[in-house]
């Protein structure tokens, strides 16, 4: 399985669940960059949220 990766507008590279923060409150969770709080596209965030560093 290849790792999904996303580069936030703040320059942070998001690779693992630990790089995201999850906001509850709606039907679907809103994922944000842990560094700056910028929203991350849902489909990408869902893939990243299942990745753990080994």
């Amino acid at each position: 399985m290849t790792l999904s990766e996303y580069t936030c507008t703040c320059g942070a590279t998001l690779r693992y669940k630990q790089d995201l923060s999850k906001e509850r409150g709606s039907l679907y969770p809103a994922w944000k960059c842990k560094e700056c709080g910028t929203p991350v596209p849902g489909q990408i965030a869902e893939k990243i949220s299942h990745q753990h560093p080994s």
Side-chain angles (χ1 to χ4, degrees):
M1 180 175 106
T2 61
L3 288 176
S4 292
E5 193 174 281
Y6 178 76
T7 303
C8 182
T9 56
C10 71
T13 301
L14 310 177
R15 291 186 185 103
Y16 304 109
K17 185 175 185 174
Q18 293 82 354
D19 299 330
L20 301 169
S21 64
K22 185 179 188 180
E23 276 195 9
R24 300 184 189 264
S26 64
L27 182 60
Y28 299 103
W31 295 96
K32 295 188 176 186
C33 172
K34 199 168 219 171
E35 296 290 322
C36 68
T38 301
V40 177
Q43 191 172 14
I44 295 167
E46 281 299 321
K47 286 180 182 179
I48 292 172
S49 72
H50 294 285
Q51 296 177 162
H52 301 282
S54 305

